[in-house]
Amino acid sequence: MTLIDCDRHVMEPLHLWQDYVHPEVFKEYPVYFRNDSSLETAAQDSIQNAGKTAKLPPTYYIGDHPILNKWGADIQQETAKRPRNTEDRKLASSGLGQLQSMLNDGVDRAIIFPTFTGYIVNHQALPASVSIEYAKAYNKWVLNYCAMNYEKMIPAAVVSRHDPRTLVNQLKTILEQGFSTVTLRPEPIMGLHLGSKEYEPFWQLCEQNDITIAFHGGTHLHGPTVGADRFSSRFSLHACSHALEAQLAFLSLLEGGVLETYKRLKFVFLEAGAAWVPYWLWRLDNICYEEFPELIKDKLPNKPSHYFKQNCWVSVEPQEPCLNEVVKLIGSDKLLFGSDFPHPDHEGVNAECIYQETSLSKEIVNQILEVNPLKCFGRFRG
């Protein structure tokens, strides 16, 4: 059995930023750990009142700004009390360690994604020039990280969306470096959503060069993630950030005419599950599309489900419901598997989980683990 992991992460070591970011940019906007005294005091009071003690980990900063949004004393306290997957995170900090982790998990090949870089590059407080420099630095570093074995580790490049006028030049550099996948946050960035006309030259160049676009959400971005305007708890923020943003990302591409215009573009929705797909496409097809068809017929000559089947792939969670309905609607060839290694909300997810816990047939599982990734991500080195 071959297992291709379509969502595996690095843990960026702190030194990479000083090593790879332009010195003048790093001097003005350094990335570093800092102990926040106000959080420390609040958390220690809370812990002591509960009869417990804990030393809080430092906070990740860029310049004067914390990298994670709404990362308050409560979640700091829980992080300090429940350290998890320390060994996995250590392995993910180097290419050699990542290869060892893949061997441990029976993973043949993996698409490699960042962990903290997306929070830095898409941080709404950063100037565009700084965001771009941090994206460039990560891309150089992750190429070296994956150079341990380019056949087994396929890196996804990061781009800065702060200034859409720079996207084409960023992508040209990415193409010259040999990337075949780009990862984007699903949210609007600096006031522009994915269907905004400013991105059209970028989408065109992606299609011309067979670039796969992988959307990967995350909780605690300094940006307009769904739910961040009304919730502050980790529970509610995490409930919204992945699945709801995936739905809105698809809608944004649909509304902006991207899927109608660029029929060969490949879009991947990761770590949001797949159970949202039947409901969302049903609603878009049968309620929204049918309500006032004359208003959208020029932009969307086909129903929304047509475009999902034409352009999109989605990763599955082994235990989630409705997977047979997903297959019935969009086909088994549109499903992928990602472990999310080494992040703690997906600990222990591997190929055996899919075989044992999913409702799908063994034939479909085999397709998900090997055949579909090759079609979706296309160019594998080696």
Side-chain angles (χ1 to χ4, degrees):
M1 178 198 70
T2 298
L3 166 56
I4 300 175
D5 187 345
C6 296
D7 182 21
R8 204 166 183 91
H9 292 266
V10 306
M11 292 299 297
E12 301 91 328
L14 192 61
H15 65 78
L16 98 81
W17 307 116
Q18 188 164 9
D19 293 345
Y20 285 85
V21 174
H22 191 283
E24 292 184 6
V25 173
F26 188 81
K27 182 178 180 181
E28 187 173 2
Y29 287 91
V31 170
Y32 59 99
F33 288 118
R34 144 176 151 184
N35 291 102
D36 192 316
S37 58
S38 61
L39 285 179
E40 183 79 25
T41 300
Q44 289 297 335
D45 288 346
S46 175
I47 294 170
Q48 288 171 3
N49 289 339
K52 302 176 182 178
T53 59
K55 181 174 176 57
L56 297 189
T59 302
Y60 212 173
Y61 267 74
I62 180 166
D64 296 328
H65 310 287
I67 286 175
L68 300 178
N69 187 28
K70 298 188 178 181
W71 191 259
D74 55 346
I75 193 168
Q76 288 274 45
Q77 175 182 332
E78 290 303 304
T79 302
K81 284 162 47 181
R82 295 183 174 89
R84 296 186 291 178
N85 72 337
T86 303
E87 183 58 31
D88 286 347
R89 295 165 75 91
K90 182 179 179 181
L91 288 172
S93 67
S94 72
L96 185 61
Q98 185 72 258
L99 286 172
Q100 181 61 53
S101 74
M102 292 166 61
L103 181 63
N104 295 344
D105 292 345
V107 174
D108 182 70
R109 283 180 271 184
I111 315 299
I112 301 296
F113 290 89
T115 290
F116 292 109
T117 303
Y119 293 99
I120 297 171
V121 170
N122 295 291
H123 199 301
Q124 63 188 11
L126 298 187
S129 59
V130 174
S131 173
I132 290 170
E133 285 299 321
Y134 270 89
K136 288 166 58 178
Y138 173 80
N139 291 339
K140 291 177 183 177
W141 174 80
V142 79
L143 284 172
N144 290 334
Y145 178 103
C146 292
M148 296 296 299
N149 192 324
Y150 273 134
E151 183 179 358
K152 290 188 173 293
M153 296 186 292
I154 299 90
V158 172
V159 298
S160 166
R161 290 165 54 198
H162 275 49
D163 183 353
R165 295 170 298 180
T166 69
L167 281 170
V168 167
N169 283 338
Q170 288 185 69
L171 185 56
K172 287 179 179 178
T173 299
I174 285 167
L175 290 168
E176 291 170 359
Q177 292 172 313
F179 289 98
S180 59
T181 299
V182 169
T183 181
L184 300 177
R185 294 281 310 203
E187 297 95 339
I189 300 296
M190 307 307 283
L192 296 177
H193 67 92
L194 294 164
S196 299
K197 66 181 188 307
E198 287 86 349
Y199 294 147
E200 287 184 5
F202 174 72
W203 298 132
Q204 183 178 23
L205 190 59
C206 284
E207 184 183 56
Q208 290 172 353
N209 289 276
D210 194 25
I211 289 289
T212 300
I213 306 295
F215 296 115
H216 200 302
T219 315
H220 305 294
L221 176 71
H222 279 276
T225 305
V226 171
D229 60 338
R230 68 191 76 179
F231 302 120
S232 58
S233 71
R234 165 72 181 185
F235 173 83
S236 295
L237 293 172
H238 197 53
C240 296
S241 58
H242 293 73
L244 298 186
E245 281 293 350
Q247 294 176 62
L248 295 181
F250 174 72
L251 183 59
S252 181
L253 296 169
L254 196 67
E255 166 71 19
V258 177
L259 302 178
E260 169 62 25
T261 303
Y262 305 104
K263 296 178 173 60
R264 293 183 291 107
L265 259 180
K266 294 181 287 188
F267 294 103
V268 183
F269 298 90
L270 295 170
E271 205 184 324
W276 59 272
V277 175
Y279 166 74
W280 197 227
L281 295 184
W282 173 84
R283 180 173 179 83
L284 295 176
D285 278 2
N286 297 286
I287 297 179
C288 305
Y289 191 83
E290 299 291 345
E291 186 180 18
F292 295 111
E294 292 300 311
L295 296 179
I296 57 174
K297 66 178 182 179
D298 294 334
K299 183 179 292 186
L300 297 175
N302 298 291
K303 287 189 173 184
S305 59
H306 166 86
Y307 297 103
F308 198 99
K309 288 182 279 188
Q310 172 183 275
N311 292 87
C312 301
W313 281 258
V314 63
S315 65
V316 303
E317 305 280 357
Q319 294 180 321
E320 68 177 316
C322 305
L323 288 182
N324 286 298
E325 286 79 4
V326 175
V327 170
K328 183 178 179 181
L329 181 60
I330 64 172
S332 60
D333 60 328
K334 292 295 186 175
L335 306 184
L336 304 168
F337 168 72
S339 69
D340 198 39
F341 176 92
H343 298 164
D345 55 338
H346 286 75
E347 281 186 306
V349 177
N350 53 42
E352 290 306 314
C353 292
I354 305 182
Y355 282 113
Q356 294 172 10
E357 299 173 9
T358 186
S359 59
L360 300 174
S361 69
K362 184 176 181 180
E363 290 73 21
I364 290 178
V365 171
N366 288 335
Q367 184 181 14
I368 291 170
L369 298 183
E370 180 179 9
V371 178
N372 296 347
L374 294 173
K375 292 180 179 179
C376 177
F377 291 98
R379 302 196 308 274
F380 284 79
R381 295 175 187 257

